Amino acid sequence: MNNSSCNGGAGLPDMKGQPDLSVELAPTHSRGLLLKNPVMVASGTFGYDGYGRGIPQEMDLSRLGAVIPKTFTRYPREGNPEPRWYPESYRVARETGEPVLLNAIGLTNPGIEAGVREVAPQWESWNATMLLSMSGESVGQFGEMAAMAQGKPGFSAIELNLSCPNVEQGDLFSYSAEGTYRAVDAVKRHAEVPVLAKLAPNVPDIAPIARAAVEAGADALTICNTIPAMTIDVESRHPTLGNITGGLSGQGLHPVAVALVYRAAQAVSVPIVGVGGVFTARDALEFILAGATAVQVGSANLADLWAPFNVLDGIRSYLGERGIGDIKELIGAMEA
């Protein structure tokens, strides 16, 4: 199930004489998850449909550390009613360059069965390190999905979106240490590849939840998902999103996410992927200095498809200008 792009070239400096940007996200897993560099595309922000539609043919995805297409659920989902974006839409963001602040997509997807049979196999042609994102409504669904994905081609690891409704407890899995443990454990019983657990930000303390994910076998953590939020049109007195509430992303989320990464890094020893408001190399470097091994670019992709590449180039320039030979020297290197 490992992508061929994870071999030969990954783990080496991107260019001769340049800093070594390679990072390892699953150092204790038998297959590992070695990335060429720490820049990843966040789930749900990869092209117009979240699965790569609209990506220019000249875009070399193999240059990035990894790409995570939109989440698959156990069964197909149509998603939430329109409008799903604020401001206005994904396409408007592309035309104006203004970042999307809120979204309420509702995990629109064809379901995991079609995902691993029809969608994921196409990813191999991109020669990039791909991760499969999945989200279940119950512990049983997480286990079923992991079993259905076992041995399938196209991806090198699984990222668990633990911020969907937990119908068994009426809450989100990552709102509790117990829910997180059970979901991760159900997947690890079947998964042959490394597993990343993506956690929610709006919890009293992320440390016990992070520890629970690791105790259940998570090879790495992704921190964090969006924060529940809403806006209201004061003229019409209607919410701006069809679902009323949505998730806050972008630059407003960034300092919250950096703090959560820092807190989690003090609690666990597995690699952490920081996500939330990465628009520039400095945003990414904040995460890394706080303890993240890699970062994901999300909202920035909605306004500029080339954003991850710009972030990557900026990180490389930062290291080169300061004579830093290895990105790993900066992981957790914040001086308090």
Side-chain angles (χ1 to χ4, degrees):
M1 196 183 324
N2 265 340
N3 240 0
S4 59
S5 61
C6 289
N7 302 316
L12 299 175
D14 285 311
M15 293 181 290
K16 186 176 181 180
Q18 295 292 315
D20 183 358
L21 299 183
S22 65
V23 294
E24 172 62 68
L25 291 187
T28 62
H29 194 280
S30 60
R31 298 195 179 195
L33 185 59
L34 189 61
L35 309 185
K36 293 179 180 178
N37 58 71
V39 180
M40 309 169 70
V41 173
S43 178
T45 67
F46 180 47
Y48 292 116
D49 62 351
Y51 296 111
R53 187 167 66 87
I55 297 296
Q57 290 186 348
E58 67 271 20
M59 183 174 283
D60 182 6
L61 296 171
S62 69
R63 285 188 56 209
L64 300 176
V67 175
I68 311 177
K70 186 190 287 188
T71 298
F72 292 109
T73 53
R74 176 63 182 89
Y75 301 103
R77 288 177 60 97
E78 293 185 3
N80 291 325
E82 298 284 355
R84 297 175 175 180
W85 303 95
Y86 176 81
E88 296 189 62
S89 74
Y90 192 149
R91 293 183 184 277
V92 170
R94 289 284 170 82
E95 293 170 1
T96 64
E98 295 297 322
V100 170
L101 302 179
L102 299 176
N103 78 82
I105 308 304
L107 296 179
T108 305
N109 76 98
I112 187 67
E113 185 174 1
V116 298
R117 184 185 66 243
E118 302 170 8
V119 182
Q122 300 176 31
W123 300 342
E124 290 191 307
S125 65
W126 292 331
N127 194 34
T129 300
M130 307 294 297
L131 274 65
L132 178 75
S133 175
M134 63 171 61
S135 182
E137 294 183 352
S138 68
V139 170
Q141 281 193 6
F142 270 111
E144 289 176 19
M145 295 171 71
M148 294 171 71
Q150 189 174 27
K152 297 299 190 295
F155 54 94
S156 302
I158 295 171
E159 182 180 78
L160 304 183
N161 181 349
L162 299 179
S163 299
C164 76
N166 177 349
V167 297
E168 292 184 335
Q169 299 178 356
D171 210 339
L172 303 184
F173 283 102
S174 59
Y175 274 7
S176 73
E178 179 185 0
T180 297
Y181 182 96
R182 293 177 65 207
V184 174
D185 179 64
V187 171
K188 288 293 291 187
R189 291 175 184 272
H190 300 281
E192 300 172 334
V193 295
V195 173
L196 288 69
K198 187 173 184 178
L199 306 182
N202 48 322
V203 294
D205 185 2
I206 203 167
I209 297 171
R211 285 194 289 265
V214 174
E215 290 169 3
D219 298 286
L221 305 178
T222 300
I223 300 174
C224 59
N225 216 318
T226 57
I227 295 177
M230 68 180 291
T231 57
I232 301 172
D233 184 328
V234 298
E235 298 300 330
S236 69
R237 302 185 184 181
H238 291 153
T240 59
L241 294 175
N243 193 55
I244 301 179
T245 62
L248 173 68
S249 62
Q251 292 162 319
L253 178 62
H254 183 66
V256 174
V258 171
L260 291 171
V261 165
Y262 175 74
R263 172 66 173 148
Q266 310 307 304
V268 299
S269 58
V270 301
I272 295 173
V273 180
V275 55
V278 175
F279 282 76
T280 67
R282 289 188 174 272
D283 296 329
L285 289 163
E286 278 193 85
F287 274 128
I288 293 170
L289 289 169
T293 296
V295 301
Q296 292 179 9
V297 181
S299 293
N301 298 328
L302 306 182
D304 181 6
L305 287 170
W306 294 96
F309 298 89
N310 296 334
V311 170
L312 173 59
D313 291 342
I315 291 174
R316 183 181 289 111
S317 294
Y318 178 94
L319 268 64
E321 291 168 0
R322 289 158 180 78
I324 301 172
D326 194 324
I327 186 67
K328 291 179 281 295
E329 295 178 28
L330 296 181
I331 298 174
M334 182 189 76
E335 299 179 3

